[in-house]
Amino acid sequence: KIQWKVGEVGIPVPKDDEVLQKKCESTEGILWAPRPEFFHQFKPEPPRAHAGVASIFSMVVLGLPNIVLLLLIGRHGLWKTGITFGNIPFHGLLIGMMVVIVWYWLDVYRIFPTLFLLGAAGSAATVVRPRPKTEKPKSQ
């Protein structure tokens, strides 16, 4: 059996009630005393546009470019609008980005998944974007 004596600790405990009373009246006693109850005051909501006005504005902003695109495709044909087999992935990603925006508008997605999907689709669209054809200079 091994015994090690590390040290001795003595903790004085006051037996007198007056010492305890003085402690409670000191700043520590005030610091830890119960506080009066408080009530939260909510701020009034900021003024917003009427839901109908906001919906009409969103439909114009989101719908007008799509309507113009569909009218141009219907009037000039799909292939005359610049959509070719080489850049179908680019246009598909643009359409996908529009779908994500509409889904956000319809409360299908929240803001962070929407931003992630738009960032991913935008990055992919940047990579597969149609490149302008460079013409070789004519030799004289």
Side-chain angles (χ1 to χ4, degrees), residues 1 3 19 21-23 27 29 38 41-42 48-49 53 59 61 78 83 87 93 112 115 121-122 133-134 138:
K1 183 175 178 182
Q3 289 184 334
V19 175
Q21 186 68 24
K22 285 182 184 177
K23 278 253 190 210
T27 55
F38 65 92
Q41 296 177 354
F42 292 98
R48 297 176 59 182
V53 174
M59 283 188 252
V61 168
L78 183 64
I83 298 176
N87 59 12
L93 286 166
F112 290 115
L115 291 175
K133 295 180 181 178
T134 57
K138 296 178 181 178

Side-chain angles (χ1 to χ4, degrees), residues 81-98:
T81 58
I83 298 176
T84 62
F85 287 111
N87 59 12
I88 283 181
F90 173 74
H91 289 284
L93 286 166
L94 290 182
I95 291 169
M97 290 169 73
M98 287 186 230

Side-chain angles (χ1 to χ4, degrees), residues 7-133:
E8 294 180 15
V9 177
I11 301 174
V13 180
K15 297 179 183 178
D16 195 11
D17 288 338
E18 291 178 13
V19 175
L20 291 175
Q21 186 68 24
K22 285 182 184 177
K23 278 253 190 210
C24 289
E25 291 174 359
S26 68
T27 55
E28 282 188 13
I30 294 171
L31 181 67
W32 299 107
R35 304 283 184 199
E37 187 174 356
F38 65 92
F39 298 97
H40 183 72
Q41 296 177 354
F42 292 98
K43 292 182 181 179
E45 289 190 24
R48 297 176 59 182
H50 187 267
V53 174
S55 295
I56 290 171
F57 176 78
S58 297
M59 283 188 252
V60 168
V61 168
L62 295 175
L64 192 60
N66 291 321
I67 290 171
V68 169
L69 176 66
L70 292 176
L71 287 175
L72 287 173
I73 288 174
R75 186 172 184 186
H76 299 292
L78 183 64
W79 306 114
K80 289 184 181 179
T81 58
I83 298 176
T84 62
F85 287 111
N87 59 12
I88 283 181
F90 173 74
H91 289 284
L93 286 166
L94 290 182
I95 291 169
M97 290 169 73
M98 287 186 230
V99 168
V100 168
I101 291 171
V102 169
W103 281 351
Y104 172 73
W105 182 61
L106 294 174
D107 285 336
V108 175
Y109 286 143
R110 294 282 178 220
I111 187 67
F112 290 115
T114 301
L115 291 175
F116 174 75
L117 291 173
L118 289 176
S123 299
T126 303
V127 171
V128 300
R129 74 183 187 275
R131 308 283 197 277
K133 295 180 181 178

